[in-house]
Amino acid sequence: RLLGNLVAPAAFTPNGDGSNDQALFAFDLLQLTDAAPLDLTIHDLAGRPVATRTKSAEGSGRFGFEWDGRDDSGLIVAPGIYLYRIAVDAGKGEDAQAGTIGVAY
């Protein structure tokens, strides 16, 4: 396993009131010795991609992605349940973890 200790909120409220406006997906990267791309993808329940975030990791450690509840065009998504997937693609293969997150106003 390359991904471990994933912590993601069950729900958040991106309504601009300054409280719980962003979701933080935090995780450990394990056994990573070279740079590797990290991807967060958010899908609606129909499987359509809603938002993507990408970054690079230079080695093992604690990493995270923030999601502000906006789609890739910058619009706030509708309230509901969304699917997320966090993946790392290292030289020894890909590892991914997935789950659900609720968006409420």
Side-chain angles (χ1 to χ4, degrees):
R1 296 219 53 124
L2 297 172
L3 287 169
N5 301 319
L6 173 63
V7 177
F12 75 115
T13 57
N15 57 9
D17 67 356
S19 177
N20 202 29
D21 283 336
Q22 292 199 355
L24 174 63
F25 301 87
F27 53 93
D28 292 330
L29 283 178
L30 311 167
Q31 305 178 39
L32 195 64
T33 57
D34 293 320
L38 303 171
D39 297 302
L40 166 68
T41 54
I42 309 286
H43 292 83
D44 64 17
L45 290 178
R48 294 181 295 256
V50 173
T52 56
R53 304 288 183 269
T54 301
K55 61 173 65 174
S56 180
E58 298 298 322
S60 296
R62 189 81 174 153
F63 293 87
F65 281 105
E66 290 182 354
W67 182 43
D68 61 1
R70 295 182 184 274
D71 64 18
D72 284 336
S73 2
L75 301 173
I76 293 180
V77 299
I81 303 295
Y82 291 84
L83 309 170
Y84 68 84
R85 182 176 186 268
I86 295 173
V88 58
D89 189 5
K92 59 169 65 174
E94 182 184 75
D95 191 14
Q97 292 190 22
T100 60
I101 185 166
V103 175
Y105 293 3

